């Protein structure tokens, strides 16, 4: 039972932290991408969109190579730690949040920005109000980012090592239980995972829908 | 061009987009207490001028002055906090009417009771106080544009910049909104630049009228002068001068010129010298028609031309009649008068107009 609580809390903590960091990176960059006009914008958008489809095992492999004892960041001793899982999940979720935030803000009427500036909004006030106007899309981006990491298994396995009591999360535990033929525990964990995803997305959906009216 | 001390002024403005110059203006200014109506055809550069006045469009050249002080791009925010911008679409924020009107005040760091007092005052002055707690998305087009105007007026800015502010409003609400805007501009004595392609709006609101065509400021004068004495053929065509005839000044005596237009003689007030090539401009509402041979009222009009009606087309409460008198003369006649006179295509009519109604534009020799 203690194991179950610890695995659940670790899953929630790792995915929540990775989503929060991805939001901090993805939202400003997505805003810049949506509002700026520069020569290689199309190329950058293509890279971001490719990143949205990045297979988690590829992200896991890249982070594992970096953090491996003989890798460039091996001295940090992060491989097989929850931090390593957070790093890999940030790599997975950031393009999702960035791409969807850019799309959401890009869908706003460009005259809105002109109107806000024409009313005397500073750059930060303008961005704040554009985020407010695009909040439904931005909450959808947040849900998609969280969804991409809470359900992810390949990267967590590769850089976390699925160590009991340390880096075992719900998804890696399910894989292990299935490989052992312990379907009962696997189904139990899958139920918890689904409930967790439902609760977090439920809160975000509630926030999104109540935001429809201001 | 204004002779008063300008509040906002641009000099030597040049805006280039996609390698093409979309705006090139030597000087444009607006002073306190005056409303400059910027008119011109679609795509002429009117809205670009308005955005340039608020430093919201990148200009390749030019300087912007507020009360005679040059505004650098670094001071753009300071400038924008002294203007109030209203766009053609209301562009309301996804919140209540009251929050929308308060937005600009909050941008300026104004908080508390002062915000509610000012917001309520301006909602009241625009007749939308009962709507203050409604969501902006629930408003009609007319109500939404009133909110947009209140949002700009509440800032009590040095200059109001209005870009086609009535374009999104349905016809029934438009006239009342124009009246209210005119009244508020008069009461507040704000300097205002209003962009429109509608000459009626421009005449009602503007103390001056600036005509922009192909990115150039062609004429800037009081509305009556622009409408009756356009400076070139493009302006004449834009302001509704439908009879534009090429001719040559035959003689001038005591300020009265006789112009030869393809064999017809037209008299006009002018000091242009004999031999000069000119364009005779005549507004359709200055021409009177009657059927040939019919008795009509005695008139002092010096010009009488006879011809057959070529075409009659509807134009709101008027019909527009084109008469082939040699040169083509276009006249506006009320529908009632057209019926009463029995005007029909092919009928022979006499077109009369005063020498004072004819404006001559001297052409390059």
């Amino acid at each position: 039972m203690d194991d179950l609580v610890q695995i659940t809390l670790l899953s929630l903590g790792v995915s929540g932290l990775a989503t929060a960091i991805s939001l901090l990176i993805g939202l400003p960059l997505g805003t810049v991408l949506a509002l700026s006009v520069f020569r290689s914008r199309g190329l950058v958008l293509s890279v971001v969109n490719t990143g949205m489809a990045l297979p988690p095992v590829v992200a896991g492999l890249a982070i594992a190579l970096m953090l491996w004892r003989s890798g460039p960041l091996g001295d940090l001793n992060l491989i097989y730690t929850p931090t390593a899982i957070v790093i890999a999940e940030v790599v997975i979720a950031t393009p999702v949040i960035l791409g969807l935030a850019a799309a959401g803000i890009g869908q706003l009427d460009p005259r809105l920005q002109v109107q806000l500036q024409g009313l005397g909004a500073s750059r930060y006030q303008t961005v704040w109000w554009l985020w407010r106007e695009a909040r439904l899309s931005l909450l959808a981006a947040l849900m998609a980012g969280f969804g991409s990491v809470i359900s992810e298994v390949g990267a967590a396995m590769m850089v976390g090592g699925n160590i009991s009591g340390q880096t075992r999360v719900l998804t890696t535990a399910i894989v292990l239980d299935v490989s052992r033929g312990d379907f009962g525990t696997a189904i139990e964990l899958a139920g918890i995972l689904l409930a967790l995803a439902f609760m977090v997305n439920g809160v975000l959906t509630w926030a999104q829908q109540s935001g429809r009216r201001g | 061009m204004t002779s008063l001390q300008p509040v906002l002024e641009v000099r030597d403005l040049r805006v280039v987009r996609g390698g093409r110059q979309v705006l090139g203006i030597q000087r444009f200014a607006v002073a306190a207490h005056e409303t400059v109506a910027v008119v011109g055809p679609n795509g002429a550069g009117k809205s670009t001028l308005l955005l340039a006045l608020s430093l919201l469009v990148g200009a390749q050249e030019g300087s912007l002055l507020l009360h005679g002080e040059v505004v650098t791009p670094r001071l753009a925010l300071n400038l924008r906090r002294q203007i109030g911008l209203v766009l053609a679409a209301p562009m309301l924020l996804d919140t209540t009417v009251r929050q929308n009107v308060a937005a600009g005040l909050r941008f300026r760091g104004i908080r508390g009771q002062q915000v509610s007092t000012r917001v309520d005052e301006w909602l009241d002055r625009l007749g939308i106080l009962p709507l203050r707690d409604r969501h902006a998305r629930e408003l009609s087009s007319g109500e939404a544009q009133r909110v947009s105007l209140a949002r700009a007026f509440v800032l009590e800015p040095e200059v109001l910049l209005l870009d086609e502010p009535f374009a999104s409003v349905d016809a029934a609400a438009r006239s009342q909104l124009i009246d209210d805007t005119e009244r508020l501009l008069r009461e507040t004595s704000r300097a205002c630049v209003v962009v429109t392609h509608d000459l009626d709006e421009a005449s009602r609101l503007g103390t001056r009228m600036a005509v922009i065509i192909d990115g150039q400021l062609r004429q800037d004068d009081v509305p009556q002068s622009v409408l009756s004495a356009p400076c070139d053929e493009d302006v004449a065509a834009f302001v509704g001068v439908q009879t534009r005839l090429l001719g040559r000044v035959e003689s001038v005596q005591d300020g009265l010129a006789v112009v030869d237009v393809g064999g017809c003689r037209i008299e006009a007030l002018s000091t242009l010298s004999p031999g000069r090539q000119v364009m005779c401009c005549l507004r359709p509402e200055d021409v009177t028609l009657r059927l040939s041979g019919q008795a009509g009222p005695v008139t002092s009009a010096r010009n009488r031309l006879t011809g057959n009606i070529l075409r009659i087309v509807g134009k709101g409460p008027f019909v527009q009649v084109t008469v082939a008198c040699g040169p083509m003369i276009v006249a506006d006649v009320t529908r009632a008068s057209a019926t009463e006179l029995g005007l029909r295509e092919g009928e022979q009519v006499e077109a009369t107009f005063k020498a004072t109604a004819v404006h001559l534009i001297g052409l390059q020799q």
Side-chain angles (χ1 to χ4, degrees):
Chain A
M1 186 62 195
D2 284 352
D3 267 6
L4 207 59
V5 172
Q6 192 269 333
I7 289 172
T8 306
L9 288 178
L10 187 64
S11 282
L12 194 60
V14 163
S15 299
L17 184 59
T19 307
I21 295 170
S22 299
L23 183 69
L24 288 175
I25 300 169
L27 183 56
L29 290 181
T31 306
V32 170
L33 194 57
L35 301 180
S36 314
V37 181
F38 53 94
R39 192 169 293 182
S40 48
R41 187 169 180 270
L43 179 68
V44 174
L45 268 174
S46 299
V47 170
V48 170
N49 289 336
T50 307
M52 288 172 75
L54 182 71
V57 286
V58 174
L61 176 63
I63 298 302
L65 288 171
M66 299 285 282
L67 300 181
W68 202 254
R69 311 247 182 263
S70 56
L73 301 176
D75 291 345
L76 298 175
N77 289 322
L78 291 175
I79 192 81
Y80 301 144
T81 64
T83 308
I85 304 177
V86 170
I87 294 170
E89 291 189 346
V90 166
V91 172
I92 294 163
T94 298
V96 174
I97 292 179
L98 197 164
L100 293 178
I105 294 165
Q107 275 178 349
L108 294 174
D109 191 324
R111 291 173 298 179
L112 184 60
Q113 190 185 349
V114 172
Q115 179 66 81
L116 287 166
Q117 290 178 312
L119 288 171
S122 67
R123 187 178 301 175
Y124 296 112
Q125 287 168 331
T126 303
V127 167
W128 171 254
W129 275 93
L130 292 178
W131 284 353
R132 200 177 177 285
E133 291 295 300
R135 60 192 179 280
L136 301 184
S137 305
L138 297 182
L139 279 165
L142 192 62
M143 284 188 263
F146 179 76
S148 70
V149 291
I150 190 73
S151 60
E152 180 287 316
V153 61
M157 187 75 91
M158 217 175 284
V159 301
N162 197 22
I163 301 166
S164 177
Q166 289 180 41
T167 59
R168 182 164 297 167
V169 291
L170 284 166
T171 51
T172 57
I174 293 168
V175 171
L176 183 69
D177 287 332
V178 170
S179 68
R180 282 178 183 155
D182 185 359
F183 289 103
T185 310
I187 290 169
E188 198 178 321
L189 291 173
I192 293 170
L193 183 60
L194 272 175
L196 203 61
F198 180 79
M199 278 193 297
V200 172
N201 281 305
V203 169
L204 291 174
T205 306
W206 173 80
Q208 188 188 43
Q209 296 310 307
S210 60
R212 271 182 179 276
R213 288 296 305 275
Chain B
M1 190 59 80
T2 181
S3 55
L4 304 165
Q5 178 65 37
V7 176
L8 192 61
E9 182 181 359
V10 277
R11 289 183 190 160
D12 303 316
L13 177 68
R14 201 166 76 86
V15 180
V16 176
R17 274 191 200 145
R20 192 176 73 88
Q21 178 170 309
V22 292
L23 199 60
I25 288 179
Q26 211 173 13
R27 182 171 181 268
F28 175 85
V30 59
H33 308 284
E34 73 172 354
T35 298
V36 184
V38 178
V39 296
N42 287 335
K46 309 183 294 290
S47 297
T48 307
L49 171 62
L50 211 66
L51 294 180
L53 288 172
S54 41
L55 287 179
L56 282 167
V57 73
Q60 275 61 37
E61 286 172 24
S63 48
L64 184 69
L65 294 90
L66 183 69
H67 290 298
E69 299 279 323
V70 174
V71 183
T72 59
R74 218 164 46 83
L75 297 172
L77 184 60
N78 284 354
L79 168 82
R80 287 191 208 121
R81 288 188 172 169
Q82 295 182 64
I83 62 166
L85 178 69
V86 175
L87 299 178
M91 301 313 304
L92 298 184
L93 300 165
D94 187 12
T95 180
T96 61
V97 166
R98 192 199 290 246
Q99 294 302 326
N100 264 281
V101 178
L105 295 173
R106 298 235 158 87
F107 294 154
R108 287 155 177 77
I110 301 168
R111 297 275 182 272
Q113 188 58 39
Q114 202 187 344
V115 173
S116 337
T117 309
R118 280 170 71 170
V119 167
D120 284 358
E121 179 200 335
W122 278 98
L123 287 174
D124 190 30
R125 289 179 83 167
L126 274 145
I128 46 172
L129 189 59
L131 304 178
R132 65 183 167 187
D133 294 319
R134 287 263 290 276
H135 195 273
R137 301 276 153 92
E138 295 169 357
L139 304 176
S140 69
S141 62
E143 291 167 342
Q145 198 58 305
R146 280 178 185 271
V147 175
S148 182
L149 284 162
R151 189 167 60 175
F153 272 108
V154 77
L155 303 172
E156 294 171 7
E158 295 274 353
V159 188
L160 275 161
L161 302 175
L162 316 180
D163 186 6
E164 302 270 9
F166 315 111
S168 65
V169 181
D170 56 67
R174 186 180 302 151
S175 187
Q176 185 60 51
L177 186 53
I178 295 172
D179 281 348
D180 289 348
T181 307
E182 186 193 3
R183 173 178 52 81
L184 293 172
L185 286 171
R186 206 176 43 243
E187 287 172 5
T188 57
S189 303
R190 291 278 156 237
C192 175
V193 181
V194 56
V195 162
T196 175
H197 63 272
D198 186 310
L199 289 170
D200 291 338
E201 278 177 26
S203 307
R204 282 169 72 178
L205 289 173
T207 50
R208 259 171 54 219
M209 193 185 279
V211 186
I212 294 185
I213 295 173
D214 292 337
Q216 292 179 325
L217 182 59
R218 298 285 187 88
Q219 193 165 1
D220 186 353
D221 210 331
V222 293
Q224 187 51 41
S225 293
V226 176
L227 296 174
S228 60
C231 67
D232 64 30
E233 187 182 4
D234 292 337
V235 174
F238 178 74
V239 299
V241 175
Q242 299 209 316
T243 302
R244 303 187 298 280
L245 307 167
L246 286 175
R248 196 175 58 83
V249 179
E250 269 190 349
S251 63
V252 183
Q253 198 169 10
D254 299 331
L256 187 67
V258 178
V259 183
D260 175 28
V261 178
C264 269
R265 280 180 173 68
I266 290 178
E267 295 186 20
L269 294 185
S270 176
T271 52
L272 291 171
S273 43
R276 183 80 188 265
Q277 296 289 329
V278 292
M279 173 167 286
C280 300
C281 297
L282 181 60
R283 296 194 65 84
E285 59 270 24
D286 290 334
V287 180
T288 309
L289 296 181
R290 67 174 177 193
L291 287 180
S292 289
Q294 254 184 12
V298 177
T299 164
S300 62
R302 300 186 70 97
N303 294 293
R304 290 166 195 276
L305 300 175
T306 304
N308 292 322
I309 296 176
L310 197 66
R311 199 169 48 240
I312 301 178
V313 291
K315 185 185 166 190
F318 297 94
V319 290
Q320 192 155 79
V321 185
T322 305
V323 184
C325 306
M328 297 289 178
I329 304 288
V330 180
D332 279 354
V333 182
T334 63
R335 286 180 186 273
S337 297
T339 309
E340 199 177 308
L341 287 166
L343 299 181
R344 279 191 299 275
E345 288 179 4
E347 292 277 0
Q348 193 178 56
V349 290
E350 185 181 66
T352 57
F353 47 93
K354 293 183 174 182
T356 50
V358 182
H359 168 65
L360 298 186
I361 299 172
L363 303 177
Q364 299 292 333
Q365 297 291 338

